[in-house]
Amino acid sequence: MKRVTTVCGDIAPEELGFTDMHEHIMFNGADMGAICRPAMPTDLPVKYEDKVSLENIGFLKRNFPLVQDAMDLNDEAAMTREVQEYKDSGGDSMVELSVPGIRLDVEAVRRISEKTGVHVITAAGYYVETSWNGKYDGWSIRQFYDHLMDEIENGIEGTQIRPGCVKIALNDFTEAEEKALRAGGQAAKDTGMSITVHPDYAFGGTPGEIVEILMEEGVNPEKIVIAHMETTVKRPMKEMVLYPEKWGLDLDVAKRVLDKGANFSVEFLSGDIGLEALGTAPIPDWMKMAGIVRLIQQGYSRQIVLGTDMCVKTMCRQFGGEGYCRLTKFGVPALKKYGEVSDLAVRNMTVNNPARILAY
């Protein structure tokens, strides 16, 4: 009998209901800032030690790494309210993908699940190498694997809370990150769990190549989810402004993943996380929807899942964002209203696909 492992124990796949497949609840994204901040101009109107406030929130929505507080979701009461609002808006379950490097208090995540009634599936895995602070330096694939299996079999960080999936994040696709990826693949294969990968799009780390590596390790492609899939041409802001004819859909990378039998996730960020000071901007949600709709038209609705990837305070409802409700109140209704997506396709992306992927 297949089951889904949540922070509160195992449930049947059909109990999941509407599922957000890429989230963070208790989360510290300081490493994201460490990666991006050195390239930022120095003459900006905020300091790293500032708090998110009405005076700076507009700027931080477009330049999130510049204030440490913006990347710190470490308020259990506040995050309980955010998850409760998701529940009240029709959400039933979510996958919390904060792994070592960005993970905070998994016991707080369980308390939030218990209080709100939202099924939460958390992950074993590793964030990008720069977030490890030397903890896993020099590890072999076997050592990465053993650590994953210990969490899967015995609980996370000395708790009784067991993960229900594997998550690996890549940045520069270093040798160490490849070892972690291959170990994650082996753990997914041996347990039957799904594995979600945050790609880096560098040579050797593109979504299609990631799927190939995981398949080399014996992972069933139906259990692979490539996160943050881009379905549009992404160029520097200057180039997009000067040469608007270069805008448009680019489904080649997505199809390379889908045609191997794997899945991908699209996250509705609502423009609340960006790097304008570096000349880049987030892909608007309407562009993401255009890619989703085209792929659904081509028969891929059984391989797409959705989320919001809420990872900075400016995305939270309590700081002027839309929170996890961006998916329930905007993403899904907009796909149906403007994209003419059928109820069946929506159910595949939000109910059927998550149940299939997460059950083991």
Side-chain angles (χ1 to χ4, degrees), residues 288-345:
K288 296 178 184 180
M289 285 193 289
I292 293 171
V293 169
R294 183 63 55 84
L295 290 168
I296 290 173
Q297 291 170 343
Q298 296 176 6
Y300 292 106
S301 75
R302 295 184 181 275
Q303 293 170 263
I304 302 171
V305 294
L306 306 173
T308 71
D309 190 22
M310 194 164 78
C311 55
V312 293
K313 280 182 177 172
T314 56
M315 295 176 69
C316 295
R317 294 261 296 156
Q318 294 156 82
F319 285 88
E322 295 171 77
Y324 308 116
C325 298
R326 179 66 176 176
L327 178 59
T328 50
K329 292 186 175 182
F330 171 77
V332 169
L335 282 169
K336 295 173 71 174
K337 181 176 181 179
Y338 304 117
E340 301 180 357
V341 174
S342 70
D343 289 344
L344 175 59

Side-chain angles (χ1 to χ4, degrees), residues 15-20 86-87 90-94 117-120 328 351:
E15 294 181 67
L16 281 173
F18 185 104
T19 304
D20 178 333
Y86 168 74
K87 176 69 172 179
D92 299 303
S93 302
M94 63 171 60
V118 172
H119 300 300
V120 178
T328 50
V351 178

